[in-house]
Amino acid sequence: MLFAFVLYTVVAGAEASPTKPNTALHAIAQELIDAGYREKQALTERLTTIDDPKTLEFMQVMVEGDLYYRKDDRVVVIKGDNAVTTFFSGEEITLESKRDIKKISVNNKLRVLLRGGIARLQIFSDDPEMRMQAAVNLLKSAEDLDQATLDEALSNEEKPDVRDVLSLVKGIRLLEADTEKERLEGVSYLSGSLYPDVRGALANYRRAAEADSRTEEIQAADEALKKIESLLSLNSVAENLYFGLALGAVLLLAAIGLAITFGVMGVINMAHGEMIMLGAYTTYVVQQLMPDHIGMSLAVAVPAAFLVSGFVGVLIERGVIRHLYGRPLETLLATFGISLVLQQAVRSVFSPLNREVATPDWMAGTFMINPALELTFNRLYIIIFSLLVLALLALILKRTLFGLQMRAVTMNRPMASSMGIRTGWVDALTFGLGSGIAGIAGVALSQLTNVGPNMGQAYIIDSFMVVVFGGVGNLWGTLVGAMSLGVVNKLLEPWAGAVVAKILVLIFIILFIQKRPRGLFALKGRAADMG
Amino acid sequence: MKQEIKGGPLTRLIMNDVAGRRMMMIILAIAIIVPFCNLVFPEGSALHVSTYTMTLLGKYLCYALLAVSVDLIWGYCGILSLGHGAFFALGGYAMGMYLMRQIGDRGVYANPDLPDFMVFLNWTELPWYWFGFDQFWFAMVMVLAVPGILAFVFGALAFRSRVTGVYLSIITQALTYALMLAFFRNDMGFGGNNGLTDFKDILGFDLQADSTRAALFFASGIALILGYLISRFIVTSKLGRVLVAIRDSESRARFLGYRVEWYKLFVFVVSAMLAGVAGALYVPQVGIINPGEFAPINSIEMIIWVAVGGRGTLFGAVIGAILVNYAKTYFTGAFAELWLFMLGGLFVLTTLYLPKGVVGLWAQIKDKFFSSGGGGQSGNPATDNAEGKV
Amino acid sequence: MSLAKTKHIEQPTVLYMDGVSVSFDGFKALNSLSLFIEPGEMRAIIGPNGAGKTTMMDVITGKTRPDEGTILFNDELDLTRYDEAQVANMGVGRKFQKPSVIESLTVFENLEMSLKGGRSVWQALTHKLTGAKQDKIDEILSMIDLKDRLYEDAGSLSHGQKQWLEIGMLLGQEPELLLIDEPAAGMTDEETMKTAELFKELSKKHSLMVVEHDMDFIEALDCRVTVLHEGSVLAEGSLANVKNNQQVIEVYLGR
């Protein structure tokens, strides 16, 4: 029985890897199982001379301490976090007991050898990305590679960015050199680099220099560090700018809907935040309905949220707001009541607790601007998305019949009515459009913040601020208002703290309204007085 | 009945205000009888009023005063402040600071100079703005001055640049929101999100003692009556008519030569001070003040008290505050989940179907069933046409 | 005499406008408008829609600041430097096209509020109705014919009565100059004629500037007429004169 199983594995293994098995690696692996540390060292040295991807992988697994073998049949396996897979054939195996496998242990000496080998293999790899990765790893442990190999790699390297990193590695190595001249040369290599490891190496170097009171070197290190600091602060400004634009995009999404209901129709909708909340919960429900297609869920959620929030918006308009036109303060109170009802409804149907909304894989991830600045994709998508929504809305208002009717009704209701436009329907649909866009904002927000019954409240004041700041009834103003408020908020945050930044922005807007009560891009003259 | 402008202030205030007069008598009676029943009759007696009930009613009285202050600006001048809770809370904090200082070395850390939360934050000395709050008179001045000054500065900025209608409402909401965020911060020196609490005594009297509670209750009743009379004095003067003119047609008031901003500022500051007094009486009775009092929803709830009662009548505000809060106490106890539905529904229904509140409804009913056909204006005309401008 | 520089005519005027321009987003509502009214004069202003009549009243009363130009009241006060309330208290009363009375106050209260003086907050709070003030109200009431509706809400008045009440409120202000925007709009013929009589009576004590479309009404006023067009004065003279002006005919009848 056992025999049959072994046979099966061997056969299966053979079948699973039709490519020629790496015989040398195979042999070394089998030898490693029985070897003591001394023999292992020799074997490892042999390993490092083999230049092939499988060996590289072998060494990587080994240095991590994840390399095991099965006691029964001496098959080499990788012990991952959740599963155990065979190394050569790559198939998953189930273990009866933990003791079925045994670790191929490594000590520090072996690790140094392995890392050096890995670095060497990678640094001469044909794949530039792998070379880059290897070079970046070397920044952490420059001693992995001997001087000669490093110099060779440097002179062979064609890619400028890899060469830059390699020269940083050289610089770090030079910091440890014996002569002051060499050490200073090392500093000159490192000045202005944004890798945290470089900064750490320089800081260590400065400490050492200080301990020996080598004044000239201290000064050189300080200068290099200062340059790095100033670059880093520039970086953080850039990062905050990005965060600010992303916040601005969220505000924009939240405020566009309001720009329609408040700006175009003059209706204060205090339940606007709850339209956003409904959109976010729609996303949650959509994901619950299609758990296997999270990647697609947002594409479904956007129209679904638009419809749900838009429909609720139409209901609110027909049921309540319609009776309150011309009485803005009453509208404000009634819609506030609606917002309470909606919040409580969500609390009763779902739960008072926050709901988990998954982020699709394609939304995750970052792109690197420089070693100290990585920008997340989800924010970028939201910025783009918000602009798309804005553009689409502008198109609807300017180019469609509905947009035309909408503008006609807001400009001259009796005239529009006498021309056969059903003003009641236009009102309801306009309100539905504004609410629907709030629902879309909710989808975007569900990717950034917690989805809970109170989430709308956090955005309602800010959205009003955006609309008021940008100038009522002006989409362009809404865009500029949202982006500038978002950016100002995030730029203030580092030195004032999040809460104080928010307070400062609120105070700024209050003062701003004093100066220009009708916003940045106010309509002047008669039209403004009609409101 | 519209000839009330004739006659001296006393006539104006009391003789011509039948409904208000009756209500004030009732409040006065409550302010005397409730503490009396609490102190004189032993527990278990049919006439005994528990301290819990008395404290609850005391809260209602504070809310009623707050509602009067809201009605003064909203009902008569058309200023819909969604940040009036800020003035209430500031008055409460001023009182809370005094009560905090009264704790002395009886706090957990037994520090005679610093309140517990400051010791906890490793502060070594009292911030400058806490000086003087160990004196009762100083704290009382601050109860009026802090809300008053904030209202003055804010109002001067807003009214002078003619921010009106919903714009004003929204920036007042932003104001209270900003204050809430600020008071949540520990380094503001007001106890962060725990606020001020664990009070021991007021003017040397134990805050837990029934007699102190009774006195506070009585004081709340008297403050409500005084606040009502002050507001009534204002709205029955020519100033009150200017306010109504501003509410109904701001530009007419301007072209008649009235400096609208000064009138608004005056009534806004008075209203803020009344709210501050309400807050100051509220805090020792509930035993705590924290930044949650600044929450925008609190300020909006106040509006609904006035709307339910009937705005522009002052005594409607009192009725509304007591009715809504009684309902709140009842429903949050019995069906907690229903309360927000009810409150939300109340907003919608009042604005849609009860624009004049229960007072207006009562006037309508009275008109229909009790008037003998012959004319007589229905309702209170001051509530007509109360609309804001965008 | 620094003012002599800015004023280009000799005779005394109650209102002097010279080179006044206002533009909204590039649209010139007033285009170098010059016009003056002598003390005790009644002047009718006509002009097609959009000629700048309302804007002109706005700049005189401090509601809108002109981009350039001089506006003097009684030859000395530069009206462009004051706001609505200050201009009103100097003695310029304004009546809107749409009757604007305080609808939830009684006729009496409306008039009482309009009486000259006592504009500060403190004065309003401590205000007492004196016999003199009562007399003044009675006098106005008999002029505007609302004695029997004294204690009724202004909101319950008819359209014409509201117009009159507003005129009454203007009189309560005791202004030197009255600016009146389309008083006859919505009035019956009889009311219109009565109003014209009232204005003629008023012009004995006050200076008046009346904007109106109704030619019969202007004829009844029997005063100098100014025609506004595209923000400046097109013609000025007696009604008969103006009616025969070729340019005016073109503007009104189209080219």
Side-chain angles (χ1 to χ4, degrees):
Chain A
M1 179 66 198
L2 191 71
F3 174 77
F5 181 71
V6 170
L7 192 70
Y8 171 76
T9 344
V10 170
V11 172
E15 273 177 1
S17 52
T19 48
K20 198 184 79 183
N22 191 321
T23 41
L25 182 58
H26 241 297
I28 294 173
Q30 288 304 318
E31 279 181 66
L32 270 174
I33 291 174
D34 305 313
Y37 279 124
R38 194 179 296 251
E39 293 108 330
K40 272 186 186 167
Q41 202 170 326
L43 289 166
T44 308
E45 272 166 20
R46 264 170 62 202
L47 265 183
T48 58
T49 60
I50 308 171
D51 180 9
D52 97 322
K54 200 68 189 169
T55 315
L56 179 61
E57 191 192 342
F58 189 85
M59 289 195 287
Q60 280 169 331
V61 177
M62 191 171 163
V63 82
E64 293 298 324
D66 292 335
L67 200 64
Y68 286 71
Y69 68 93
R70 190 153 56 190
K71 284 176 185 166
D72 303 339
D73 54 3
R74 299 170 64 90
V75 169
V76 180
V77 298
I78 306 171
K79 186 170 184 278
D81 289 336
N82 313 312
V84 178
T85 45
T86 59
F87 179 79
F88 287 101
S89 57
E91 58 191 274
E92 208 169 300
I93 57 174
T94 43
L95 296 176
E96 314 232 317
S97 145
K98 271 187 198 165
R99 258 171 270 155
D100 286 353
I101 55 172
K102 192 163 190 280
K103 187 173 183 168
I104 299 176
S105 57
V106 282
N107 63 6
N108 275 337
K109 220 169 185 173
L110 284 174
R111 272 188 210 107
V112 172
L113 267 175
L114 283 167
R115 272 205 291 266
I118 293 168
R120 212 171 304 127
L121 278 182
Q122 287 181 331
I123 214 77
F124 293 112
S125 154
D126 292 335
D127 178 8
E129 233 162 76
M130 177 167 287
R131 294 205 299 275
M132 187 67 184
Q133 190 56 48
V136 171
N137 285 343
L138 278 172
L139 289 174
K140 257 191 230 26
S141 47
E143 66 282 357
D144 282 357
L145 214 58
D146 56 284
Q147 187 67 49
T149 325
L150 182 60
D151 285 340
E152 190 193 342
L154 249 175
S155 60
N156 283 352
E157 188 53 60
E158 293 157 359
K159 288 262 172 197
D161 46 345
V162 181
R163 205 160 51 222
D164 288 348
V165 181
L166 282 174
S167 65
L168 289 175
V169 177
K170 187 174 176 190
I172 292 176
R173 285 185 71 103
L174 280 173
L175 292 182
E176 312 266 303
D178 298 330
T179 67
E180 183 180 302
K181 187 167 164 284
E182 280 178 293
R183 290 196 296 265
L184 284 177
E185 192 195 342
V187 173
S188 74
Y189 279 123
L190 302 181
S191 179
S193 165
L194 286 172
Y195 286 97
D197 294 319
V198 172
R199 195 160 157 238
L202 271 173
N204 281 336
Y205 167 68
R206 191 195 179 281
R207 230 170 285 135
E210 200 169 41
D212 304 344
S213 28
R214 300 178 301 220
T215 38
E216 201 177 325
E217 292 181 55
I218 295 175
Q219 205 187 344
D222 278 344
E223 269 168 32
L225 281 169
K226 213 170 120 191
K227 197 167 167 199
I228 294 178
E229 293 301 337
S230 71
L231 279 174
L232 277 178
S233 65
L234 204 68
N235 247 344
S236 82
V237 169
E239 185 170 34
N240 284 319
L241 207 65
Y242 180 65
F243 285 163
L245 287 178
L247 177 63
V250 169
L251 290 179
L252 178 61
L253 280 173
I256 297 174
L258 208 62
I260 297 179
T261 52
F262 182 44
V264 178
M265 302 178 72
V267 168
I268 290 285
N269 182 13
M270 293 301 272
H272 187 76
E274 278 58 45
M275 299 293 119
I276 297 176
M277 185 240 334
L278 285 182
Y281 271 90
T282 309
T283 317
Y284 169 72
V285 171
V286 165
Q287 291 195 344
Q288 295 305 109
L289 292 179
M290 42 190 288
D292 300 330
H293 303 90
I294 297 297
M296 289 291 296
S297 63
L298 294 190
V300 179
V302 167
F306 181 85
L307 290 178
V308 169
S309 296
F311 179 67
V312 175
V314 171
L315 284 187
I316 293 175
E317 201 278 342
R318 287 290 91 182
V320 177
I321 292 172
R322 174 163 71 112
H323 307 289
L324 296 171
Y325 281 123
R327 292 158 66 195
L329 297 182
E330 275 87 345
T331 314
L332 189 153
L333 290 178
T335 50
F336 185 82
I338 294 170
S339 86
L340 291 182
V341 170
L342 287 174
Q343 277 176 43
Q344 186 56 43
V346 166
R347 237 175 253 133
S348 303
V349 172
F350 295 93
S351 134
L353 302 176
N354 287 342
R355 298 283 94 180
E356 186 81 31
V357 172
T359 303
D361 293 335
W362 54 268
M363 286 278 284
T366 59
F367 61 92
M368 203 160 101
I369 302 291
N370 64 39
L373 181 58
E374 285 183 62
L375 304 182
T376 49
F377 275 129
N378 59 354
R379 289 199 162 79
L380 182 70
Y381 285 132
I382 284 173
I383 294 174
I384 296 171
F385 183 66
S386 68
L387 295 177
L388 280 179
V389 173
L390 182 72
L392 192 70
L393 182 67
L395 214 64
I396 291 177
L397 292 187
K398 291 246 159 75
R399 293 285 160 85
T400 65
L401 180 64
F402 170 61
L404 185 70
Q405 292 187 338
M406 196 170 118
R407 283 180 295 150
V409 170
T410 45
M411 277 176 206
N412 193 334
R413 181 172 292 271
M415 179 64 86
S417 169
S418 67
M419 284 168 66
I421 297 175
R422 293 166 70 186
T423 54
W425 276 111
V426 173
D427 286 334
L429 290 180
T430 309
F431 199 81
L433 177 67
S435 304
I437 289 175
I440 293 180
V443 180
L445 263 180
S446 73
Q447 296 300 312
L448 287 186
T449 55
N450 296 326
V451 174
N454 297 328
M455 68 181 291
Q457 292 292 298
Y459 290 91
I460 183 73
I461 293 184
D462 284 349
S463 330
F464 270 115
M465 290 297 144
V466 167
V467 175
V468 169
F469 179 62
V472 172
N474 185 322
L475 286 184
W476 174 243
T478 309
L479 172 66
V480 176
M483 288 302 167
S484 41
L485 286 191
V487 168
V488 167
N489 219 324
K490 286 292 172 189
L491 288 186
L492 282 178
E493 247 173 48
W495 62 269
V499 174
V500 174
K502 199 152 189 122
I503 295 170
L504 286 177
V505 169
L506 285 178
I507 291 173
F508 164 73
I509 293 177
I510 292 174
L511 291 177
F512 177 83
I513 297 180
Q514 313 300 321
K515 276 268 160 243
R516 302 196 59 169
R518 298 197 182 272
L520 266 184
F521 298 88
L523 303 167
K524 278 186 222 147
R526 269 197 176 177
D529 291 334
M530 312 272 279
Chain B
M1 79 172 131
K2 276 302 239 176
Q3 298 182 26
E4 63 194 27
I5 18 180
K6 291 178 178 173
L10 200 69
T11 324
R12 231 168 71 191
L13 265 180
I14 302 184
M15 299 318 286
N16 283 335
D17 180 23
V18 182
R21 194 172 65 211
R22 277 187 203 142
M23 196 185 64
M24 289 306 119
M25 295 302 275
I26 295 172
I27 301 249
L28 186 64
I30 291 175
I32 294 167
I33 292 169
V34 169
F36 182 82
C37 290
N38 174 261
L39 293 177
V40 173
F41 297 106
E43 237 168 281
S45 154
L47 291 171
H48 177 76
V49 174
S50 73
T51 307
Y52 170 80
T53 310
M54 185 168 70
T55 304
L56 194 66
L57 291 175
K59 250 170 71 176
Y60 293 173
L61 292 179
C62 296
Y63 286 149
L65 177 57
L66 181 57
V68 167
S69 80
V70 171
D71 195 22
L72 186 59
I73 53 168
W74 184 38
Y76 287 90
C77 197
I79 302 171
L80 178 58
S81 164
L82 295 183
H84 234 53
F87 304 121
F88 180 79
L90 286 173
Y93 265 97
M95 176 59 105
M97 285 161 82
Y98 162 75
L99 296 173
M100 242 13 217
R101 301 289 284 131
Q102 289 310 104
I103 297 174
D105 58 6
R106 286 170 292 172
V108 178
Y109 294 104
N111 187 317
D113 298 322
L114 293 183
D116 274 351
F117 72 87
M118 290 188 194
V119 182
F120 184 75
L121 292 172
N122 291 323
W123 290 14
T124 50
E125 57 181 64
L126 207 60
W128 61 268
Y129 46 82
W130 274 76
F131 283 114
F133 276 96
D134 48 342
Q135 300 292 323
F136 185 73
W137 67 267
F138 182 82
M140 291 309 101
V141 170
M142 287 300 131
V143 161
L144 292 172
V146 174
I149 290 170
L150 176 68
F152 184 84
V153 172
F154 183 85
L157 285 169
F159 300 140
R160 252 190 26 190
S161 49
R162 304 195 182 172
V163 179
T164 54
V166 291
Y167 286 90
L168 186 76
S169 303
I170 287 167
I171 61 167
T172 53
Q173 186 170 35
L175 170 78
T176 194
Y177 187 63
L179 281 170
M180 179 178 74
L181 293 180
F183 272 74
F184 265 122
R185 291 166 53 85
N186 275 328
D187 48 7
M188 275 288 283
F190 297 107
N193 51 352
N194 295 326
L196 308 176
T197 187
D198 290 332
F199 308 132
K200 301 282 189 252
D201 49 31
I202 181 168
L203 288 169
F205 299 103
D206 181 6
L207 265 176
Q208 303 307 320
D210 284 352
S211 55
T212 316
R213 294 285 176 126
L216 281 168
F217 182 88
F218 180 70
S220 305
I222 297 303
L224 173 58
I225 293 171
L226 286 178
Y228 177 84
L229 289 177
I230 290 171
S231 306
R232 179 88 192 146
F233 179 75
I234 291 173
V235 302
T236 54
S237 69
K238 181 181 155 195
L239 194 150
R241 293 190 287 284
V242 177
L243 295 180
V244 171
I246 292 170
R247 181 193 74 191
D248 286 359
S249 172
E250 185 167 327
S251 57
R252 179 75 273 169
R254 278 187 206 282
F255 286 113
L256 277 176
Y258 291 97
R259 301 298 296 271
V260 166
E261 49 276 14
W262 285 108
Y263 283 83
K264 285 184 173 176
L265 195 55
F266 170 78
V267 74
F268 195 57
V269 169
V270 169
S271 169
M273 287 177 164
L274 288 178
V277 171
L281 285 164
Y282 174 83
V283 167
Q285 297 189 63
V286 298
I288 184 169
I289 173 79
N290 62 31
E293 293 296 337
F294 285 104
I297 178 159
N298 284 17
S299 298
I300 296 186
E301 251 181 64
M302 293 160 203
I303 304 295
I304 207 64
W305 305 340
V306 178
V308 166
R311 75 183 121 132
T313 58
L314 292 180
F315 69 93
V318 175
I319 294 172
I322 293 174
L323 270 183
V324 176
N325 279 296
Y326 175 73
K328 182 175 184 174
T329 310
Y330 177 73
F331 282 104
T332 46
F335 327 92
E337 214 168 64
L338 275 182
W339 169 242
L340 277 181
F341 283 125
M342 300 217 20
L343 186 64
L346 209 53
F347 273 90
V348 179
L349 294 179
T350 338
T351 43
L352 283 183
Y353 302 111
L354 273 183
K356 291 175 186 176
V358 289
V359 170
L361 186 70
W362 174 241
Q364 260 179 359
I365 294 171
K366 224 165 64 173
D367 247 26
K368 216 168 194 174
F369 295 102
F370 299 98
S371 75
S372 46
Q377 295 286 125
S378 71
N380 187 323
T383 56
D384 284 345
N385 219 355
E387 62 178 59
K389 293 192 325 187
V390 180
Chain C
M1 282 302 282
S2 63
L3 287 169
K5 273 184 205 159
T6 51
K7 201 177 164 200
H8 299 294
I9 51 170
E10 287 299 315
Q11 77 248 50
T13 54
V14 66
L15 179 72
Y16 172 89
M17 299 176 81
D18 190 22
V20 177
S21 296
V22 179
S23 60
F24 302 120
D25 284 334
F27 168 71
K28 283 223 160 188
L30 291 184
N31 190 4
S32 193
L33 174 73
S34 300
L35 183 148
F36 55 87
I37 293 174
E38 291 167 35
E41 186 187 350
M42 173 149 65
R43 173 74 62 89
I45 310 278
I46 60 173
N49 275 333
K53 292 166 298 193
T54 304
T55 310
M56 178 181 73
M57 293 216 174
D58 285 349
V59 295
I60 297 171
T61 53
K63 185 163 186 254
T64 304
R65 296 254 170 279
D67 301 332
E68 54 185 342
T70 317
I71 306 175
L72 296 178
F73 180 58
N74 276 339
D75 295 343
E76 51 179 4
L77 294 164
D78 179 0
L79 289 185
T80 60
R81 306 216 318 250
Y82 300 97
D83 68 16
E84 297 99 313
Q86 287 166 322
V87 171
N89 288 331
M90 286 172 191
V92 179
R94 178 173 180 181
K95 196 204 149 304
F96 292 96
Q97 185 177 338
K98 206 178 117 205
S100 101
V101 294
I102 314 303
E103 305 217 337
S104 46
L105 295 180
T106 61
V107 171
F108 180 88
E109 287 169 329
N110 266 289
L111 288 174
E112 186 206 20
M113 246 186 70
S114 73
L115 290 186
K116 193 177 178 177
R119 289 313 195 240
S120 81
V121 173
W122 181 248
Q123 285 166 326
L125 193 62
T126 55
H127 165 88
K128 264 206 188 116
L129 192 64
T130 59
K133 285 175 183 159
Q134 184 73 56
D135 291 348
K136 178 78 190 171
I137 291 176
D138 288 342
E139 183 196 327
I140 296 171
L141 275 171
S142 55
M143 254 184 195
I144 60 174
D145 222 6
L146 285 172
K147 243 193 170 101
D148 49 339
R149 312 206 59 173
L150 193 53
Y151 294 118
E152 282 175 37
D153 283 341
S156 66
L157 299 179
S158 75
H159 184 83
Q161 284 172 320
K162 281 182 193 168
Q163 298 273 42
W164 281 30
L165 174 57
E166 197 180 355
I167 293 168
M169 289 164 76
L170 246 61
L171 296 179
Q173 283 177 267
E174 297 176 37
E176 273 181 72
L177 173 66
L178 285 145
L179 307 177
I180 298 168
D181 204 349
E182 298 198 27
M187 280 189 179
T188 61
D189 285 352
E190 191 195 349
E191 282 173 332
T192 307
M193 286 308 125
K194 225 162 118 189
T195 310
E197 286 308 308
L198 178 64
F199 284 3
K200 278 164 103 172
E201 184 66 30
L202 290 180
S203 69
K204 288 172 186 162
K205 281 194 207 158
H206 310 266
S207 310
L208 276 88
M209 183 197 253
V210 184
V211 168
E212 189 49 77
H213 280 304
D214 187 335
M215 288 298 162
D216 293 340
F217 182 73
I218 290 176
E219 194 136 23
L221 287 182
D222 185 25
C223 66
R224 229 175 134 77
V225 175
T226 298
V227 185
L228 285 192
H229 178 56
E230 289 178 352
S232 42
V233 176
L234 186 69
E236 206 167 278
S238 71
L239 183 61
N241 235 336
V242 165
K243 268 184 166 170
N244 292 325
N245 182 311
Q246 198 56 41
Q247 278 177 299
V248 175
I249 293 169
E250 272 179 25
V251 164
Y252 268 91
L253 299 179
R255 274 147 263 206

